[in-house]
Amino acid sequence: MTIDSAPIPVTLRWAVRLLWAEAAVVGLIAVWLIWADLTATTTDLLSALLVTVFAIGAAAVLWALGRALLRRRAGARAPAIVLQLMLLPIGWFMIQGGLGWLGVPLMALGLGVGWLLVSPPTTRALGFE
């Protein structure tokens, strides 16, 4: 096993930073969901807990994928790209629901991070070329 001592390309560093930013935002949403679960007067407890656990899990996965990519683990790229592509339909339905101010940037974020992950410098750094 050899260790690549080449510096991490800017595209990969930005992809990791943005994945971690997404993890932080989803983590904050999870904290809000926990607060909402604890203070709700009436709720479907199972549904509330499932949504909260899903948000916590999504934040953890985004953070872990960022760490793996920073360590140049090539296998982390595909799941990270899939999560970014999932932002496209979410953003689209936000636009359809009248939240274009949030949906458009969300779609741009997904496309941008996806592009950073498939860009030539990132591809070389992860050993795909």
Side-chain angles (χ1 to χ4, degrees):
M1 179 176 178
T2 61
I3 297 174
D4 189 0
S5 62
I8 296 173
V10 173
T11 54
L12 182 54
R13 274 186 276 146
W14 272 104
V16 168
R17 287 176 187 150
L18 291 170
L19 284 170
W20 284 346
E22 291 174 17
V25 170
V26 175
L28 289 173
I29 292 169
V31 169
W32 177 81
L33 286 170
I34 292 169
W35 177 81
D37 292 346
L38 294 174
T39 59
T41 55
T42 59
T43 185
D44 177 5
L45 183 61
L46 180 61
S47 295
L49 290 176
L50 286 175
V51 170
T52 303
V53 169
F54 181 81
I56 293 167
V61 166
L62 285 165
W63 190 267
L65 287 171
R67 281 185 52 92
L69 286 167
L70 194 59
R71 293 179 176 172
R72 298 183 188 200
R73 304 284 191 252
R77 184 170 83 158
I81 291 169
V82 168
L83 289 178
Q84 297 312 301
L85 291 176
M86 287 175 64
L87 293 177
L88 298 178
I90 293 169
W92 176 256
F93 282 108
M94 286 181 150
I95 292 168
Q96 295 300 311
L99 295 174
W101 61 271
L102 184 57
V104 170
L106 200 61
M107 291 174 76
L109 176 67
L111 289 172
V113 176
W115 178 83
L116 288 170
L117 290 169
V118 298
S119 67
T122 299
T123 299
R124 279 191 298 276
L126 295 175
F128 286 112
E129 282 186 8

